[in-house]
């Protein structure tokens, strides 16, 4: 068919195979809070995951039945969706997931564009940890915290309960890790001076 935009990515699969794939990806996302896959699959799974979280926020019997149809293991995931995840995203107006592009997972074969699909404001939120690491580096420098970093701090703490306290705790943890690495490098230099 010439022209016209597609409503969704077909992913070179039949309809039933594509739906099974997306259900499996979304079930894995809610199990692990972060998954690695190809970029087109991540973008399609993101759409389904956002819809599921919206169903979880509504919390009616009809939305429970609909969510039960999507999950492969509904007994283990329905409770998580309608309690933990619902409470986490109750005041967030949208944007519950994030897709981050990464290097191709299978470097020796197809070089397919890969991505990480993750739930935001969760324990495995990569942007939260990257912002904490940037804060550690910029606080140690003479210039101080840049404007872009301040914006990112606002973004990662805006909808998170006790966001600033959690960020400061993560910054202290990163500072401790950085201090341990420096001490390890100094001890290595004194043990093996020619190695450094």
């Amino acid at each position: 068919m010439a022209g016209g935009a597609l409503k969704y990515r077909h992913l070179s699969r039949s309809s039933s195979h594509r739906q099974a794939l997306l259900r499996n990806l979304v079930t894995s996302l809610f199990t692990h809070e972060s998954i690695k896959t190809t970029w087109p699959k991540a973008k399609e799974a993101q759409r389904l995951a956002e819809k599921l979280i919206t169903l979880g926020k509504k919390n009616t019997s009809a939305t429970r039945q609909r969510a039960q149809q999507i999950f492969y293991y509904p007994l283990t995931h329905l409770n998580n969706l309608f309690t933990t995840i619902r409470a986490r995203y109750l005041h967030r107006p949208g944007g519950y997931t994030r897709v981050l592009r990464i290097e191709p997972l299978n470097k020796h074969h197809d070089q397919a564009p890969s991505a990480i699909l993750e739930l935001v404001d969760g324990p495995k939120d990569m942007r939260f940890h990257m912002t904490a690491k940037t804060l550690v580096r910029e606080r140690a420098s003479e210039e101080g915290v840049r404007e872009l970093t301040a914006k990112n701090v606002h973004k990662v703490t805006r909808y998170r309960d006790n966001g600033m306290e959690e960020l400061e705790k993560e910054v202290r943890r990163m500072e401790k890790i950085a201090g341990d690495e420096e001490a390890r490098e100094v001890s290595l230099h004194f043990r093996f001076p020619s190695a450094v």
Side-chain angles (χ1 to χ4, degrees):
M1 181 162 98
L6 293 175
K7 292 184 179 177
Y8 53 85
R9 292 171 180 85
H10 295 280
L11 303 175
S12 300
R13 287 164 172 79
S14 64
S15 179
S16 59
H17 188 185
R18 185 180 57 253
Q19 290 302 319
L21 170 80
L22 295 177
R23 287 178 60 201
N24 195 9
L25 285 173
V26 168
T27 302
S28 296
L29 175 66
F30 282 98
T31 302
H32 304 291
E33 301 236 349
S34 177
I35 57 172
K36 292 180 184 177
T37 183
T38 63
W39 187 78
K41 289 178 191 173
K43 291 301 283 184
E44 285 301 307
Q46 181 183 27
R47 293 173 60 186
L48 187 59
E50 299 263 345
K51 289 177 185 176
L52 262 176
I53 294 172
T54 303
L55 290 176
K57 285 173 65 174
K58 291 180 182 176
N59 198 15
T60 64
S61 63
T63 58
R64 283 181 178 271
Q65 287 176 354
R66 180 66 186 124
Q68 188 173 1
Q69 292 171 356
I70 295 172
F71 282 128
Y72 267 121
Y73 307 108
L75 295 177
T76 57
H77 292 94
L78 275 181
N79 188 35
N80 184 26
L81 175 65
F82 286 97
T83 56
T84 310
I85 293 177
R86 179 178 187 268
R88 185 189 305 168
Y89 299 123
L90 197 58
H91 301 294
R92 181 181 274 271
Y96 315 114
T97 58
R98 179 182 299 126
V99 176
L100 301 169
R101 284 185 183 258
I102 58 173
E103 291 288 320
L105 293 175
N106 198 350
K107 292 182 181 179
H108 303 293
H109 297 289
D110 60 358
Q111 291 284 318
S114 300
I116 296 174
L117 175 62
E118 65 182 5
L119 296 174
V120 300
D121 294 345
K124 294 186 178 180
D125 188 356
M126 189 178 296
R127 188 172 191 180
F128 184 77
H129 298 297
M130 289 169 47
T131 304
K133 191 171 184 179
T134 304
L135 271 176
V136 169
R137 188 180 65 247
E138 289 184 1
R139 285 180 181 174
S141 72
E142 297 173 3
E143 297 145 10
V145 178
R146 296 181 313 177
E147 182 181 347
L148 180 63
T149 306
K151 283 183 183 178
N152 285 334
V153 166
H154 176 70
K155 286 180 182 179
V156 299
T157 59
R158 181 171 36 180
Y159 294 110
R160 189 183 283 255
D161 292 335
N162 301 323
M164 287 305 290
E165 291 84 8
E166 285 185 30
L167 184 65
E168 285 301 323
K169 189 187 329 180
E170 183 67 18
V171 166
R172 285 193 298 273
R173 188 180 75 80
M174 294 271 186
E175 286 172 343
K176 184 175 184 271
I177 290 172
D180 291 345
E181 287 177 0
E182 288 176 11
R184 194 174 312 121
E185 286 178 13
V186 169
S187 68
L188 181 65
H189 178 68
F190 284 120
R191 279 193 225 151
F192 308 104
S194 61
V196 180

